[in-house]
Structure formats: C-alpha cells, structure tokens
Amino acid sequence: MTGKWHLGSGEGHLPNAHGFDRSYALDASGADNWEHKSFMPLYPDAPWFEDGEPTRLPDDFYSSEFIVDKMVEYLETRNPTQPFFSYLAFQAIHIPVQAPREFVDKYEGVYSSGWDALRQQRIDSARGLGLLPEDALPPQPHPSLRAWTELSADEQLHYENNMMVNAAMLEAMDHHIGRFVDYLDNTGELANTVFIITSDNGPEFNDPTASALFRFWMSNNDYHVDNDRAGERGYMGGIGPEWASAAAVPGSLFKMYASEGSTRVPLIISGPVANARSEFHPAFSFVTDIAPTIADIAQLPPDSDTDGRSLLPLLNGERTDVYAESDPVGMEVAGNSALFKGRHKLTRNTLPHGDARWRLHDIRNDPAERNDLSATSPDLRNEMLADYER
C-alpha cells in the first residue's frame, strides 16, 4: 500500500496491521505534495509511516510520482511466483492542488472563460455522452455561489490558475498511473492484472486561502498563492465552491454533501475479467461493493463480515443490475444523508448549502436533483425514510 491512509492512527490501525506486507502511508486527511509538511494547522507535521514506523520523505518528493515509485520498489522485492494486491491511494486532487509546471502550462487559457462557461460545457458533454437525459434539467448553482463576471480581474486570474493546477494535478496522476501500467507490461504482469480506479467523493470545494486566519498560518509555514508560481513548491491551491460545482456536473453541489455531485463518482474496472464487456454500465453500485468484487475476481470464498455485493456478474454480462429496485442502500457523512432505492433517492443536506429537509428525487431522470417528489409521492417518501431509520 502506498499513499493516503487516514483510517486510524497508531499501532494496530496502520496498513501493516491490516494485512499489507509493505506500506508507505500518510496517516492524515492530506498533506503537501512537494514536501514533508502539513497542509493545515490541524496537523503539526505530515505523519508518514513506512511499515508502521515513522519516516521522512525524500527531498525530490512529488506525491503522485513517489506513490508509484514506491509501489514499484515493493513489487520488485516480492516473491514473483505469488499474486499481489496493490493499493495506490493518490493525494490528487485533494487540497493543496499542486503540480509540476510542465503539466500546468498545458492548460493555459482553458479555463479563462470561467466556471459558468465550464458548467454549460460539461452539461452539453454529459448529454452528448448519454449520461444526462435530453429533457433533464441541469443542476442549479447554489445562490451563495458567485458568477464569474462578479470577480475582479485579479480574482479571475487567481481562480483560473487554481483550476489549471487542479487539471494538471489530475493529468500528472494519470501520467504516473501510465508509468505503473508500463512497469507491469515490461514485467509480463499486465495481461493478468485487474485495475480498479475510483474516487471517495466529488470535487473538493474548500479554498482555505479565503480565510485571513489561514493566510496568517500560511505565512508562517512557507506557503504562498503567487500566480507566477502556481502549482509549484509552497503553492496553496484550492478551486473553491464555484469551480467545484461546475466540475460536479451533471450532479449538484460537491464533496461532503449527500447530493449527486458528491456521491456519484467515476468507477473504472479494466483487465482480464471473464467475459467482461468494454462499455458503460449505468447500474447503481456502492463503494462497499469493491471489496467483494476483488474477492470474487480472485476466486476467494465469500466473507460474511464484508458489506456490499460483487460486481463481477454485472461485468461479465450475467446480470444487468447489482441491486434490485426494492433494495435500500443508505449513507451519512457529517449529518448529510441519503438513501438509494431503485431509481429514487431520499436526500437531506445540511447548512450552509442545504436546509436539513428530506427530499425525494428520481435520479435517473433528474440527476441534478431539481424536482422534489415528496408532495406527489408521500407514501414512497415515508417508506424510504423508514428504511433509512432502520
């Protein structure tokens, strides 16, 4: 295992206590991508551990590159006759968004039209790809979000640079995943390796530099927001809620909420899965389905202690769904809650971007969650609320 862990600190909670033979883990919600230091006052330092012991990063560290390099190092020293499970947990694209200049420069001018234009571009693209029904309403930006034209020229430059770095950080991660694929190809392992790529939430909306108190902390910890050095060592980048809202299209809102902009994330499965078809699957699945899918692909016996369901029958064409229309799946994060059941979703989002009221949506036809069905389908709403409370 290499990368962000954030699943419990101290002896008995790090990756080496959870079955990993080798691990280089960041035991925090995030950290700097260029240096061994914290990205916020909550952590006095960046808590990196190798095989359960505190360690220090090398001077030439860049997170996405290092996470791949370390995994290759571990695979080089393993028993080559044994199968392996590699978990690479990238820091991209968590704040601070940081990326090498050669990737940032590729996005010069791409975001100069602002977040309102990007939102429309992504709505059009989602429709063109068949991800958004033609008659579906687009997500409605929250009233607190600013229009691009409200910003001064300096503010526009600041946020344009941050979105350029955000895109560059994602591409840099993709580049280093490509290096990992090349390594497996060169060692003859690629043809027998299954890749699963997903995300834990929608776009990160925080821009900590908006706080005067945080800027004071930055000044004492060698962080800056210099436009001429955007993404480079010491840069504290964050895209803010307006870019995050645009990036979450066709869903609404962003990370931390229970809206589709937070809960609907990419899932890519590729490799030698029996009879697997190369296509988009619209079937609902949940993050807890990943572990039983891996176990099923590896032909391990079912584990009654594991939540979720294997996606293998969906991948190889045996089934067209994972969950029946009557199966409820619930979640909660920081008071924001949702229950999925067939095509419907019961959602409650808290302040400041919600009002803590339960709303009912048909997310197949309305992924933007614009139309509340509570008044027209009160029995279904009450049934799903009872499912959630159970």
Side-chain angles (χ1 to χ4, degrees):
M1 181 271 164
T2 55
K4 179 178 169 179
W5 182 247
H6 200 213
L7 292 172
S9 300
E11 186 176 353
H13 297 284
L14 293 169
N16 59 298
H18 286 268
F20 288 96
D21 298 311
R22 301 299 313 275
S23 60
Y24 206 108
L26 170 65
D27 185 25
S29 61
D32 195 271
N33 296 279
W34 289 111
E35 302 176 73
H36 192 124
K37 68 178 185 177
S38 175
F39 75 121
M40 63 186 305
L42 182 63
Y43 305 104
D45 194 14
W48 283 94
F49 294 84
E50 184 164 29
D51 300 331
E53 298 295 327
T55 188
R56 299 292 300 182
L57 297 172
D59 291 338
D60 61 351
F61 172 79
Y62 178 69
S63 62
S64 293
E65 181 177 22
F66 180 83
I67 286 167
V68 168
D69 285 350
K70 204 67 182 177
M71 183 60 70
V72 168
E73 176 187 321
Y74 290 160
L75 291 179
E76 286 281 273
T77 58
R78 84 182 213 281
N79 182 344
T81 65
Q82 296 296 315
F84 66 90
F85 172 76
S86 293
Y87 173 34
L88 296 90
F90 292 92
Q91 291 173 231
I93 46 179
H94 194 282
I95 53 172
V97 289
Q98 298 168 321
R101 174 56 55 183
E102 60 266 29
F103 291 101
V104 177
D105 288 344
K106 293 183 179 182
Y107 292 92
E108 187 70 41
V110 172
Y111 299 107
S112 57
S113 297
W115 42 65
D116 301 311
L118 181 68
R119 182 180 295 108
Q120 188 60 51
Q121 291 168 8
R122 297 203 172 183
I123 291 168
D124 295 341
S125 179
R127 285 200 175 105
L129 291 169
L131 302 178
L132 184 66
E134 285 294 329
D135 58 349
L137 294 172
Q140 189 170 27
H142 192 270
S144 66
L145 303 185
R146 298 163 294 178
W148 183 253
T149 53
E150 294 178 25
L151 274 61
S152 68
D154 287 344
E155 290 174 324
Q156 288 182 350
L157 179 61
H158 168 73
Y159 282 107
E160 179 186 355
N161 278 335
N162 279 348
M163 195 60 176
M164 287 170 57
V165 175
N166 187 77
M169 192 178 189
L170 186 60
E171 184 177 342
M173 180 185 70
D174 190 55
H175 168 79
H176 291 295
I177 291 173
R179 291 176 49 239
F180 188 55
V181 171
D182 289 343
Y183 165 76
L184 295 175
D185 192 17
N186 292 334
T187 59
E189 300 277 10
L190 182 61
N192 195 36
T193 300
V194 175
F195 289 84
I196 300 176
I197 299 177
T198 190
S199 175
D200 57 347
N201 49 248
E204 167 65 67
F205 69 97
N206 281 301
D207 178 14
T209 65
S211 162
L213 187 61
F214 189 85
R215 291 196 299 272
F216 175 77
W217 178 85
M218 285 171 52
S219 67
N220 289 289
N221 288 272
D222 297 323
Y223 277 113
H224 65 86
V225 286
D226 185 345
N227 286 322
D228 293 332
R229 295 182 288 154
E232 298 176 9
R233 187 178 294 261
Y235 188 74
M236 178 58 71
I239 65 174
E242 290 87 2
W243 279 128
S245 178
V249 167
S252 62
L253 294 182
F254 27 67
K255 177 182 175 179
M256 294 302 294
Y257 290 92
S259 60
E260 289 295 273
S262 175
T263 60
R264 187 180 296 212
V265 300
L267 172 62
I268 301 168
I269 301 179
S270 177
V273 181
N275 303 317
R277 298 168 295 167
S278 179
E279 62 184 23
F280 170 71
H281 288 278
F284 173 85
S285 61
F286 202 62
V287 64
T288 51
D289 300 331
I290 299 298
T293 300
I294 293 171
D296 203 1
I297 292 171
Q299 299 180 0
L300 299 175
D303 184 347
S304 60
D305 292 330
T306 301
D307 293 330
R309 304 177 182 183
S310 172
L311 303 179
L312 188 57
L314 177 72
L315 296 173
N316 61 26
E318 294 176 12
R319 294 181 59 93
T320 58
D321 58 16
V322 183
Y323 293 86
E325 293 286 309
S326 59
D327 291 336
V329 178
M331 59 158 286
E332 183 275 337
V333 58
N336 300 295
S337 308
L339 184 110
F340 301 87
K341 195 171 186 179
R343 66 188 305 131
H344 292 101
K345 177 184 176 186
L346 189 68
T347 313
R348 178 183 63 190
N349 288 305
T350 58
L351 295 171
H353 294 100
D355 57 10
R357 291 176 53 195
W358 287 103
R359 287 180 166 80
L360 178 65
H361 303 284
D362 176 351
I363 54 172
R364 290 186 192 166
N365 290 327
D366 181 28
E369 297 167 294
R370 291 278 299 268
N371 185 22
D372 183 7
L373 305 176
S374 296
T376 57
S377 302
D379 291 344
L380 177 60
R381 179 187 182 279
N382 291 337
E383 173 190 314
M384 292 181 66
L385 186 56
D387 285 333
Y388 181 83
E389 291 173 345
R390 282 197 291 270

